[in-house]
Amino acid sequence: MTTDAFLADCRARLAFDLLSNTWNAVVLWALRDRPMRPVELRERIGSISSKVLTETLRRLQFNGLVARHVHPGVPARVEYELTVLGRTLLVPIDAVGAWAFEHGDEVMAAQEAQCTLTTQRPPHTR
């Protein structure tokens, strides 16, 4: 890998773009065990609106990470599942999650310290 690996039009940047959207990783992780209907996904994830879930699923489908299956019936039943490509992202998502578990308190402490510094400065220095 060259030192330009994270510049415009590179594959590493594509991967970071996919993982930088909070809901992408959350939906992929939620689908890791089995296909799910949108209602099941919303229940498993919590605090995601139907609109955001739909947009996220469409984005993941567009990128080849999830597959949409429509089962006939009235009404039709729709399920989403990870593709083989989508499954390959579970390892880096797990690694980022492990990092967050190990270092999350440190990051939050740094944020809190910066907020404290910002509020203690005289108004003319902000």
Side-chain angles (χ1 to χ4, degrees), residues 42-60:
R42 281 193 66 215
E43 289 172 2
R44 186 164 191 190
I45 294 169
S47 72
I48 185 171
S49 69
S50 294
K51 178 184 177 209
V52 171
L53 179 59
T54 299
E55 290 169 352
T56 302
L57 288 166
R58 286 179 182 159
R59 181 173 46 253
L60 293 172

Side-chain angles (χ1 to χ4, degrees), residues 78-93:
V78 176
E79 285 185 332
Y80 291 89
E81 71 176 324
L82 292 178
T83 62
V84 172
L85 180 61
R87 290 203 164 281
T88 65
L89 272 177
L90 294 177
V91 172
I93 290 169

Side-chain angles (χ1 to χ4, degrees), residues 27-42:
V27 170
L28 291 170
W29 192 255
L31 287 169
R32 74 188 180 281
D33 296 325
R34 64 183 176 86
M36 297 180 107
R37 298 177 68 186
V39 171
E40 295 173 296
L41 275 170
R42 281 193 66 215

